[in-house]
């Protein structure tokens, strides 16, 4: 045995969805803090977050699988990758559109040490990042009383949960979805649980936008379908989580805050289309980190649009903590011998 072969790879474990779910229960405030801190680490240059890679299929144009590798330094200290697929036809099969797994790699050896169910972590980090943004972007104008959801799938459900954590006194929730059936079941099953808050299912996106102080877009629209800036004349805050709903006219008429400039200006997002149209980036006012650190204050008298591309580093930060919590609770499944051939010159089978 060579002198450098005494270190063993870290223990490898799998954290299934049920364990991920249990780990996250009762920790929403903590997750909001973790995600906010992750943006600050990113802003301070303690992360590596290369462009996401979109795997597409000529024979299945509506589907995709995205790879989001990242590295987070500072006190988090983890490398890894999220591998998330979106197959919209899954809804017809009665299962969620997106599925994902998250792999965490050891900082010292590079060995993967955990594989986690990733779709819950992805939804949680998306919802938490939008809630962190919503809190910061409404600081000047005060908490919204009327919150509207356009697109009522899984992401909207998690967004509602994390926005609820902010403790706002909400008067009315509005809902609109291309599918009235989805809108009605979201209104009943998700928002109906918020006793004391009125819930209204709208018959058009215009009606919903005009009657909301905070508008959440969580659709699967591939191209802009909301085109009239006048619908925003009351200057709401817009959480543009689905990224491709708003026309360039609306983007140009708004104050634009993004998570990461280079990331969000790709893949035909509304802000990417706006960059293509104008040939510049001057319509982008700030990153979320600028807002969190006080370098930029979102005005109360303009429409403010937050467009988060969704950074892999957020999945890693939430995933590393879920792994830690699940392991401490005895809820992670250890796979003994996952890495088998660990001697460089002697095959394990020959011993
Ligand atoms: N930015 C990020 O970090 C991030 C992260 C995760 C998901 N997302 C995006 O969030 C979106 C929602 O994800 P999901 O898992 O909830 O999807 P989902 O398929 O479960 O739900 C989407 C809903 O939007 C509705 N819809 C589609 N087009 C619409 C339109 N033009 N107007 C109104 N409603 C419309 C559908 O009927 C459906 O109910 C996706 O676009 C996804 O890519 C973004």
């Amino acid at each position: 045995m060579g002198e450098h072969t005494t270190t063993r790879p870290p223990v490898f474990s799998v954290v299934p969805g049920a364990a991920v779910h249990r780990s996250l229960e009762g920790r929403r405030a903590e997750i909001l803090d973790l995600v906010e801190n992750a943006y600050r680490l990113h802003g301070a240059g303690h992360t590596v977050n290369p462009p996401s890679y979109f795997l597409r299929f000529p024979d299945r144009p509506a589907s995709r699988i995205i790879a989001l590798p990242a590295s987070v330094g500072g006190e988090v200290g983890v490398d890894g990758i999220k591998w998330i697929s979106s197959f919209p036809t899954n809804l017809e099969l009665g299962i969620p559109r997106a599925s994902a797994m998250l792999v965490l790699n050891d900082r010292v050896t590079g060995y993967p040490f955990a594989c986690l169910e990733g779709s819950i972590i992805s939804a949680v980090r998306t919802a938490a990042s939008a809630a962190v943004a919503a809190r910061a972007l409404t600081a000047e104008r005060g908490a919204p009383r009327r919150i509207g959801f356009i697109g009522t799938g899984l992401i909207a459900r998690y967004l509602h949960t994390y926005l609820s954590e902010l403790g706002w006194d909400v008067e009315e929730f509005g809902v609109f979805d291309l599918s009235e059936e989805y809108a009605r079941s979201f209104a009943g099953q998700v928002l109906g649980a918020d006793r004391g808050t009125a819930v209204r299912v709208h018959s058009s996106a215009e009606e919903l936008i005009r009657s909301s102080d905070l508008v959440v877009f969580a659709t699967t629209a591939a191209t802009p379908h909301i085109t009239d800036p006048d619908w925003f004349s009351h200057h709401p805050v817009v959480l543009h989580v689905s990224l491709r709903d708003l026309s360039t006219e609306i983007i140009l008429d708004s104050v634009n805050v993004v998570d990461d400039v280079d990331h969000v200006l790709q893949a035909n997002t509304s802000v990417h289309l706006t960059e293509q149209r104008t040939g510049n980036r001057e319509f982008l006012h700030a990153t979320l980190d600028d807002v969190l650190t006080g370098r930029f204050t979102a005005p109360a008298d303009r429409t403010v649009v937050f467009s988060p591309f969704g950074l892999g580093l957020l999945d890693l930060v939430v995933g590393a903590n879920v792994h830690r919590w699940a392991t401490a609770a005895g809820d992670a499944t250890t796979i003994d011998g996952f890495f088998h051939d660990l001697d460089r010159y002697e095959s394990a089978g020959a011993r």
Side-chain angles (χ1 to χ4, degrees):
M1 194 183 270
E3 60 184 55
H4 297 299
T5 57
T6 49
T7 301
R8 308 299 294 173
V11 171
F12 183 81
S13 61
V14 172
V15 186
V20 172
H21 177 79
R22 280 191 290 275
S23 293
L24 289 163
E25 244 169 4
R27 290 201 157 106
R28 287 202 285 272
E30 208 172 331
I31 298 289
L32 287 173
D33 289 345
L34 285 172
V35 166
E36 180 164 335
N37 188 47
Y39 278 117
R40 291 174 191 272
L41 282 175
H42 187 54
H46 297 306
T47 60
V48 182
N49 205 113
S52 304
Y53 182 81
F54 286 66
L55 179 66
R56 296 189 189 276
F57 320 99
D59 57 335
R60 289 157 291 159
S63 300
R64 64 181 189 222
I65 312 182
I66 314 176
L68 294 87
S71 171
V72 186
E75 69 274 18
V76 181
V78 68
D79 307 332
I81 188 166
K82 174 170 74 165
W83 182 232
I84 181 162
S85 65
S86 168
F87 280 52
T89 46
N90 282 358
L91 295 192
E92 292 153 26
L93 307 174
I95 56 174
R97 176 188 59 83
S99 59
M101 63 181 240
L102 183 66
V103 174
L104 306 180
N105 291 73
D106 179 40
R107 298 268 288 182
V108 177
T109 62
Y111 272 72
F113 65 89
C115 173
L116 299 90
E117 193 285 323
S119 71
I120 299 174
I121 291 169
S122 182
V124 160
R125 69 78 149 138
T126 302
S129 79
V132 164
R135 180 165 60 189
L137 296 174
T138 55
E140 192 72 5
R141 64 179 69 207
R145 303 297 306 273
R146 301 168 307 163
I147 299 181
F149 293 90
I150 300 191
T152 54
L154 186 109
I155 292 294
R157 167 155 71 84
Y158 275 87
L159 263 151
H160 166 254
T161 306
Y162 271 81
L163 288 174
S164 300
E165 192 63 32
L166 302 181
W168 288 339
D169 187 11
V170 180
E171 207 169 79
E172 181 176 282
F173 289 116
V175 181
F176 174 73
D177 195 291
L178 279 187
S179 154
E180 198 185 326
E181 182 198 338
Y182 292 157
R184 292 209 174 276
S185 52
F186 186 82
Q189 291 174 31
V190 179
L191 304 178
D194 256 312
R195 284 181 195 81
T197 306
V199 180
R200 186 143 57 113
V201 178
H202 291 272
S203 55
S204 71
E206 175 179 4
E207 190 182 272
L208 178 135
I209 292 166
R210 288 196 188 274
S211 46
S212 303
D213 311 316
L214 182 86
V215 183
V216 177
F217 281 96
T219 75
T220 39
T223 52
H225 56 104
I226 306 286
T227 56
D228 189 347
D230 190 59
W231 297 3
F232 298 82
S233 54
H234 57 302
H235 302 315
V237 168
V238 180
L239 303 177
H240 192 198
V241 176
S242 38
L243 293 164
R244 296 173 185 88
D245 302 271
L246 302 177
S247 68
T248 54
E249 288 77 14
I250 294 167
I251 295 293
L252 289 170
D253 211 39
S254 306
V255 167
N256 289 287
V257 178
V258 300
D259 55 351
D260 181 291
V261 172
D262 291 326
H263 280 255
V264 81
L265 291 177
Q266 57 168 325
N268 290 333
T269 61
S270 295
V271 286
H272 186 207
L273 297 178
T274 309
E275 184 194 33
Q276 289 167 16
R277 179 176 146 186
T278 62
N280 66 58
R281 300 174 167 195
E282 281 158 27
F283 60 91
L284 295 183
H285 295 75
T287 64
L288 181 54
D289 182 55
D290 292 330
V291 181
L292 294 173
T293 51
R295 289 191 296 271
F296 182 82
T297 303
D301 58 354
R302 296 277 310 276
T303 300
V304 177
V305 176
F306 176 55
S307 299
F309 196 70
L311 302 172
L313 70 96
L314 298 180
D315 295 280
L316 289 190
V317 166
V318 176
N321 281 281
V322 165
H323 176 255
R324 191 163 55 81
W325 294 326
T327 303
D331 223 0
T333 307
T334 302
I335 310 290
D336 290 328
F338 186 81
F339 296 103
H340 176 63
D341 199 355
L342 293 169
D343 197 311
R344 286 188 71 206
Y345 299 123
E346 187 183 3
S347 96
R351 258 174 250 145

